[in-house]
Amino acid sequence: MKILMFTWEFPPLISGGLGMACYGMVKALLNQGIKIDLVLPTKEMVYFPMRKESDVDTLPAIFVDPILHSEYITNEFQTVQERLDFIGVTHKPETYFQLNEITSYISQFQSEFWQATSQTTEERNVWDEISFNLIGDEDLIKKVQEYTIRAERFAKILDYDLIHAHDWLCYPSGMVAKKIAKKPLIVHIHATEFDRAGGPGDERIHKIEHAGMTYADRVIAVSQYTAQMIMSRYRIDTGRIRIIHNAFSVPEDMNSEKLRIFKDPTIVFLGRITLQKGPDYYLDVAEKVLQSHPQAKFIMAGTGDMARKLLRKSASLRLKNKFLFTGFLNRKQVERILRASDIYVLPSVSEPFGIAPLEAMAYGVTAIISKQSGVSEVVNNAYKVDFWDVERMVDTICYLIDNPDICLQMGAQGMIEVNRIQWDEAAEKIRQLYASVISESLKSSKGGF
Amino acid sequence: MLNIVFYFQVHQPYRLRHLNVLDIGSKENMFDDRLNRLVMRKVADKCYLPTNALLLELIKRHEGRFKIAYAITGVAIEQFKLYTPEVLESFQKLVETGCVELIGETYYHSLSFLYDTNEFLDQVAMHRDLMQKEFGYFTETFRNTELIYQNRLSDLIFEIEGFRTIITEGVDRILQWRSPLYAYKNYTKDLNLLLKYYKLSDDIAFRFSNRDWPEFPLTVEKFTNWIDQLTLAEKSNRNQFLNLFMDYETFGEHQWAETGIFKFMEHFPSEVLNRSHLGFATPKECSTLANYQQEGLSFPDAVSWADEERDLSAWVENDMQKNAIETFYELLPKVKEHGDPVLLDIARKLSTSDHFYYMCTKYFQDGDVHKYFSPYDSPDQAYIYFITALADLEERMR
């Protein structure tokens, strides 16, 4: 079985949970004998033929241009990073979480190209959604346009049984490939624009998301929570939705040994400081906990568009030196923060899945997670609270501070539980879905439409 | 007779490293030694050494008729000893001439007067001891950090043996119709008050090299003529005091050598001394020179020499500054109680007012000045580093 996979993130090209999820998923799929050609938003026009498990770390690449490719293979690279630099894989992809600066619309997209081959009205409508909405002047939209145009090349030269596209940035590419190769398409929803924006978000992205889900043969949702969102907000036929929860693979070099920064109870928020993640609720919780437990230390780790506002607010609440900001942290620093924490709080307003709490639990940190998250569907050894229920979070944290034994016990149980949530199980479900979609499409010459 | 009273502020803070939560408990140095050494070296070469050499030369040339005063903070002296001992020696040579007055202040250039009276008195005593030890000098004039003054300050200073004069800013809202050119008394008439003549002080300190200033370029003759005109209003032979107070770093650092600031300073004393009714004095001399009944001035609220507002808003206006300074002064007694002299020394270095100045968010004209003096990218970062330092300090006591 051979898959053409489009994703915007894959380590080291990573800015959020998507890259980590794709990494674990692809690795587990390779283990099941599935071959994957991976297409990333690289500077050079390359794809990554993944054949064995270790390929997820070495990222073997093939240049579409044969001359460039021969130049590439004769090049002697000392490190993987050096090789990836040559290909044009950056460490930080443009984040696609904040598209709030819509100023002018410049139609650069070739709407005729899309419409000429359309057949049914229904299909034309879907393509219209793409061509009318994948326009804009932002760097990100331009990158997606470029990526989509490239998809046509990959769709023609590569050989595959099915197309798998992750999140809206890759939906247009998946659709193009399906159109050209007449192969079935699976789109994978890691987050919708409603989640990312913590509100209505960008209309254009909704339209692209809707088009992708409509045109796909199957839609994978990372949680029940996300499936509900797809049904209610995007009106996608429930029969085409499959729920496959994400998993978390404990890194081999992980050091989960406890390390204390503060002798007193330490509570941590770790993630982008942006509306979706509910950092303002965390600050409210901290203020209230500190009233009864002034010895507690609250850490706000990460960066984001709300960081400055919350910093100023924490000062105005006079939280003294009990509420600390770390700024940007690299992976090693994240590990040290988690090792030094007792309680992890994820008050996300809307979290399709949320790998971060699993990571915290892997370090034995007791997790308090928002009920509005997919991850709350898969773990039992964590406290689950509505994101807006500040009182409940305060009570929980105070209870854990007053009962350190219970906090430790919950952390230890969570650690055991997380170690059981493996990608293999999720990958098996994905493999089965691949198989059934492929056989379905062979039986019906029409494909999805 | 009009006496020109030069007082120069010499100060360098201990700047903090870019502290992160992960540094807490590492027991590593919180201060950025590398940056502090770099700044001290740079300012020594551009300002302290050449200016001290010039002023020493001028004092010798004018045989006791050219006089100046300095306030040198304890943290500046400490850093001279660490990084540029030759600067301290050159100050000692200046003091030996007898034409230099040293002014007392808080050792750490702190805002302790506003928050912790005992700490304030401790830091004043530490500074006086330091002046005795390094220069063999007993201070008689006091200036509070950034010329911050209000009635309560004079109460405290009067209680300390030996201080007879306080210097502060000539704030319009206090002076109203009065001239800053006369020696005044504090509100209880126990101490002399000398008030900064901010217009002419700032002409040198801030406007000297400003090409947009209509009076550019400022020549020695022009400046001395302005001073001359100030004497015209005085018809009854009362001794006047023109108090030109500024940061010492004005010379060569804020105003580079290329602007001609050294040339200006070199020729200014002779131009003054050529005019019979002009001369130089140091602050403590005002008590003998004031040949009139000195009016008592009341300062119900705090004033300072900073920014347009001339109040405390440069240090304690926004929430970051208030949370930082309130947390600090809540922590300080605990550090004293804890008893570790190393931690107390760190804490006191954190009391330096510059840390709070870096957190100022007044981004208008004055904000530019704040930005110029800040080693950090933004007030928010300055706040993060400071609060992290306080968390670290507290953790080190446990």
Side-chain angles (χ1 to χ4, degrees):
Chain A
M1 206 187 294
K2 214 173 151 229
I3 310 298
L4 173 59
M5 187 179 281
F6 294 100
T7 180
W8 205 255
E9 286 186 26
F10 199 89
L13 186 71
I14 189 164
S15 84
L18 175 63
M20 288 313 292
C22 286
Y23 176 89
M25 186 188 308
V26 168
K27 194 172 175 181
L29 286 169
L30 292 170
N31 185 32
Q32 305 222 4
I34 293 168
K35 301 182 181 74
I36 297 170
D37 285 336
L38 196 63
V39 179
L40 295 171
T42 47
K43 196 160 132 275
E44 301 296 334
M45 188 138 169
V46 298
Y47 67 96
F48 302 88
M50 314 293 259
R51 298 295 177 265
K52 54 182 190 298
E53 264 187 87
S54 61
D55 290 347
V56 294
D57 296 309
T58 56
L59 288 176
I62 294 178
F63 279 71
V64 173
D65 182 327
I67 299 164
L68 271 176
H69 190 68
S70 58
E71 191 185 318
Y72 166 69
I73 50 175
T74 50
N75 234 318
E76 277 180 30
F77 299 104
Q78 298 297 322
T79 61
V80 174
Q81 189 50 51
E82 213 173 285
R83 198 163 51 79
L84 293 179
D85 287 343
F86 184 85
I87 298 165
V89 177
T90 50
H91 270 284
K92 277 193 186 168
E94 262 95 311
T95 174
Y96 55 85
F97 295 104
Q98 294 145 19
L99 257 189
N100 41 16
E101 291 182 340
I102 285 97
T103 47
S104 61
Y105 288 76
I106 298 170
S107 176
Q108 291 185 334
F109 226 65
Q110 304 293 317
S111 52
E112 302 108 42
F113 167 81
W114 304 106
Q115 285 168 5
T117 51
S118 300
Q119 292 149 354
T120 64
T121 320
E122 195 186 7
E123 189 176 2
R124 189 174 302 121
N125 288 343
V126 170
W127 285 117
D128 281 350
E129 278 192 341
I130 291 290
S131 55
F132 291 155
N133 290 291
L134 193 52
I135 50 175
D137 212 7
E138 304 91 338
D139 279 356
L140 181 66
I141 292 280
K142 286 188 172 164
K143 270 188 122 172
V144 177
Q145 290 167 357
E146 163 83 21
Y147 187 75
T148 308
I149 290 161
R150 283 184 184 187
E152 192 189 341
R153 271 300 280 287
F154 292 117
K156 282 177 183 159
I157 60 165
L158 297 175
D159 177 40
Y160 45 90
D161 305 306
L162 180 141
I163 306 141
H164 190 162
H166 297 277
D167 271 359
W168 75 270
L169 296 136
C170 300
Y171 293 170
S173 298
M175 292 167 68
V176 169
K178 173 175 173 169
K179 184 79 192 163
I180 289 165
K182 305 204 163 36
K183 296 287 162 71
L185 168 67
I186 291 177
V187 296
H188 204 133
I189 318 290
H190 295 263
T192 67
E193 179 64 1
F194 290 106
D195 303 308
R196 286 183 296 264
D202 191 321
E203 174 90 17
R204 295 173 300 172
I205 297 172
H206 289 302
K207 292 281 166 60
I208 293 167
E209 287 176 330
H210 180 259
M213 291 185 232
T214 307
Y215 198 64
D217 297 86
R218 285 290 186 284
V219 177
I220 298 178
V222 291
S223 61
Q224 178 69 39
Y225 175 77
T226 301
Q228 287 290 352
M229 178 85 88
I230 296 168
M231 287 184 275
S232 63
R233 301 285 184 107
Y234 295 85
R235 304 275 169 217
I236 299 301
D237 171 15
T238 48
R240 288 193 294 122
I241 303 173
R242 290 289 175 279
I243 297 166
I244 300 177
H245 286 108
N246 276 345
F248 175 71
S249 303
V250 178
E252 280 156 24
D253 61 345
M254 187 181 116
N255 178 0
S256 62
E257 199 186 322
K258 284 283 172 198
L259 164 135
R260 288 230 71 93
I261 292 175
F262 297 109
K263 288 163 198 80
D264 288 316
T266 307
I267 300 109
V268 68
F269 171 102
L270 184 74
R272 279 174 297 108
I273 303 176
T274 180
L275 200 65
Q276 184 199 348
K277 303 289 181 186
D280 38 346
Y281 294 99
Y282 179 70
L283 180 59
D284 291 346
V285 167
E287 188 208 357
K288 294 207 162 65
V289 170
L290 285 168
Q291 282 168 11
S292 60
H293 296 76
Q295 79 276 27
K297 301 283 183 184
F298 286 84
I299 299 173
M300 183 152 243
T303 55
D305 56 357
M306 282 173 73
R308 166 168 290 200
K309 188 185 141 201
L310 290 174
L311 178 85
R312 302 273 171 100
K313 193 177 169 204
S314 73
S316 79
L317 292 172
R318 299 290 190 274
L319 299 187
K320 300 181 184 169
N321 53 351
K322 316 286 186 188
F323 195 90
L324 302 167
F325 286 79
T326 66
F328 174 80
L329 298 177
N330 63 33
R331 297 226 39 96
K332 277 287 143 201
Q333 291 171 319
V334 166
E335 176 168 285
R336 285 174 59 203
I337 288 281
L338 288 175
R339 285 171 62 194
S341 299
D342 302 300
I343 301 168
Y344 169 95
V345 186
L346 176 93
S348 286
V349 172
S350 182
E351 190 73 67
F353 188 76
I355 279 181
L358 296 183
E359 192 178 5
M361 287 169 73
Y363 286 91
V365 183
T366 300
I368 299 173
I369 52 182
S370 147
K371 282 183 186 169
Q372 287 68 33
S373 73
V375 69
S376 65
E377 297 162 22
V378 299
V379 295
N380 295 314
N381 292 293
Y383 294 91
K384 299 169 193 176
V385 185
D386 286 307
F387 72 85
W388 42 261
D389 199 347
V390 171
E391 288 306 324
R392 187 77 187 279
M393 280 188 263
V394 171
D395 290 346
T396 308
I397 291 172
C398 291
Y399 174 75
L400 290 171
I401 293 174
D402 295 336
N403 299 281
D405 292 345
I406 293 173
C407 184
L408 271 176
Q409 195 190 347
M410 191 67 159
Q413 285 167 357
M415 194 169 175
I416 295 166
E417 186 178 14
V418 166
N419 277 288
R420 285 205 205 102
I421 304 172
Q422 295 294 333
W423 270 109
D424 295 338
E425 213 178 302
E428 173 58 24
K429 287 182 191 161
I430 295 172
R431 193 192 60 81
Q432 285 173 12
L433 182 63
Y434 284 167
S436 75
V437 172
I438 291 167
S439 70
E440 231 173 72
S441 111
L442 289 176
K443 280 178 209 154
S444 131
S445 54
K446 275 185 72 195
F449 280 86
Chain B
M1 184 82 176
L2 184 143
N3 301 281
I4 295 168
V5 181
F6 266 123
Y7 137 66
F8 304 120
Q9 180 62 38
V10 182
H11 170 58
Q12 289 297 331
Y14 282 98
R15 296 158 196 88
L16 278 170
R17 279 199 299 127
H18 291 200
L19 291 172
N20 191 294
V21 175
L22 291 166
D23 294 316
I24 294 174
S26 68
K27 299 248 175 9
E28 278 178 36
N29 187 357
M30 289 187 205
F31 301 97
D32 194 337
D33 286 351
R34 206 188 61 85
L35 177 67
N36 291 326
R37 184 192 314 114
L38 209 77
V39 172
M40 187 54 94
R41 189 67 260 169
K42 191 183 103 188
V43 181
D45 291 338
K46 289 177 76 175
C47 166
Y48 300 146
L49 292 171
T51 315
N52 284 5
L54 172 66
L55 295 182
L56 183 65
E57 211 280 309
L58 288 172
I59 286 170
K60 286 182 175 161
R61 191 192 299 173
H62 296 290
E63 297 171 337
R65 295 175 68 207
F66 177 60
K67 301 167 187 176
I68 51 177
Y70 291 105
I72 312 175
T73 65
V75 280
I77 301 256
E78 282 183 14
Q79 294 190 81
F80 290 150
K81 288 182 164 183
L82 281 170
Y83 306 127
T84 55
E86 68 275 24
V87 171
L88 180 58
E89 282 168 33
S90 66
F91 275 115
Q92 286 162 339
K93 281 208 187 80
L94 275 164
V95 176
E96 282 165 18
T97 63
C99 293
V100 171
E101 177 179 351
L102 291 178
I103 295 173
E105 64 164 317
T106 56
Y107 187 101
Y108 292 93
H109 198 262
S110 73
L111 302 172
S112 51
F113 161 67
L114 299 167
Y115 289 88
D116 186 335
T117 302
N118 286 331
E119 175 64 11
F120 170 73
L121 295 174
D122 281 353
Q123 290 196 11
V124 172
M126 283 174 78
H127 186 262
R128 186 175 252 178
D129 291 349
L130 184 75
M131 293 300 112
Q132 281 278 14
K133 185 167 156 274
E134 298 299 334
F135 301 98
Y137 196 97
F138 185 76
T139 50
E140 295 173 49
T141 302
F142 186 80
R143 69 128 241 167
N144 194 21
T145 305
E146 308 287 354
L147 297 190
I148 291 170
Y149 180 84
Q150 67 188 82
N151 289 339
R152 195 174 66 84
L153 181 82
S154 67
D155 295 342
L156 295 176
I157 295 305
F158 182 59
E159 290 294 317
I160 304 173
E161 177 101 27
F163 283 123
R164 304 176 65 191
T165 304
I166 299 179
I167 63 181
T168 185
E169 175 73 6
V171 184
D172 294 332
R173 61 178 181 271
I174 301 289
L175 281 170
Q176 297 178 4
W177 70 90
R178 302 174 189 90
S179 161
L181 291 171
Y182 296 99
Y184 290 91
K185 291 270 185 188
N186 73 322
Y187 79 115
T188 54
K189 294 205 159 197
D190 293 312
L191 295 164
N192 297 302
L193 278 187
L194 283 183
L195 306 177
K196 178 183 155 195
Y197 198 100
Y198 66 80
K199 190 200 161 288
L200 290 178
S201 298
D202 293 351
D203 284 344
I204 299 177
F206 298 135
R207 287 181 282 270
F208 186 80
S209 62
N210 181 0
R211 288 171 182 276
D212 296 332
W213 183 34
E215 300 296 345
F216 181 89
L218 184 64
T219 61
V220 165
E221 204 191 348
K222 189 194 287 179
F223 193 68
T224 315
N225 285 342
W226 289 345
I227 295 172
D228 243 345
Q229 284 163 15
L230 296 176
T231 63
L232 297 178
E234 177 49 47
K235 311 273 193 230
S236 49
N237 265 334
R238 289 182 292 177
N239 278 327
Q240 293 174 302
F241 302 91
L242 173 64
N243 302 307
L244 298 179
F245 300 164
M246 61 198 73
D247 281 338
Y248 200 36
E249 293 78 13
T250 298
F251 302 96
E253 226 290 309
H254 307 165
Q255 309 291 345
W256 292 2
E258 292 76 16
T259 65
I261 190 80
F262 289 113
K263 284 264 175 301
F264 177 89
M265 212 43 200
E266 186 185 344
H267 296 112
F268 180 60
S270 38
E271 182 72 29
V272 167
L273 295 170
N274 277 339
R275 307 185 189 202
S276 57
H277 53 289
L278 299 183
F280 292 96
T282 69
K284 68 175 178 185
E285 291 178 298
C286 73
S287 51
T288 46
L289 290 172
N291 52 355
Y292 43 86
Q293 181 71 28
Q294 293 166 246
E295 189 183 347
L297 284 183
S298 178
F299 289 66
D301 300 316
V303 302
S304 81
W305 73 355
D307 301 347
E308 284 288 316
E309 297 88 341
R310 297 194 156 74
D311 58 11
L312 303 177
S313 59
W315 305 276
V316 281
E317 181 190 52
N318 67 41
D319 286 321
M320 294 189 289
Q321 294 170 314
K322 286 178 181 164
N323 187 53
I325 201 160
E326 287 167 16
T327 306
F328 174 80
Y329 281 103
E330 198 180 307
L331 196 56
L332 186 63
K334 295 179 193 160
V335 180
K336 287 181 178 171
E337 198 180 318
H338 181 71
D340 183 342
V342 176
L343 294 186
L344 183 57
D345 178 55
I346 292 173
R348 284 178 159 161
K349 284 172 180 166
L350 293 174
S351 74
T352 301
S353 64
D354 303 58
H355 297 299
F356 309 103
Y357 191 79
Y358 302 146
M359 299 174 201
C360 178
T361 47
K362 293 192 289 181
Y363 272 119
F364 296 101
Q365 211 176 342
D366 291 330
D368 295 344
V369 179
H370 290 258
K371 224 172 166 180
Y372 175 81
F373 286 108
S374 176
Y376 311 119
D377 292 341
S378 71
D380 303 67
Q381 282 192 319
Y383 174 74
I384 290 176
Y385 304 142
F386 189 83
I387 286 291
T388 306
L390 292 187
D392 192 3
L393 185 64
E394 191 166 14
E395 211 54 34
R396 288 189 197 198
M397 289 193 288
R398 302 219 31 211

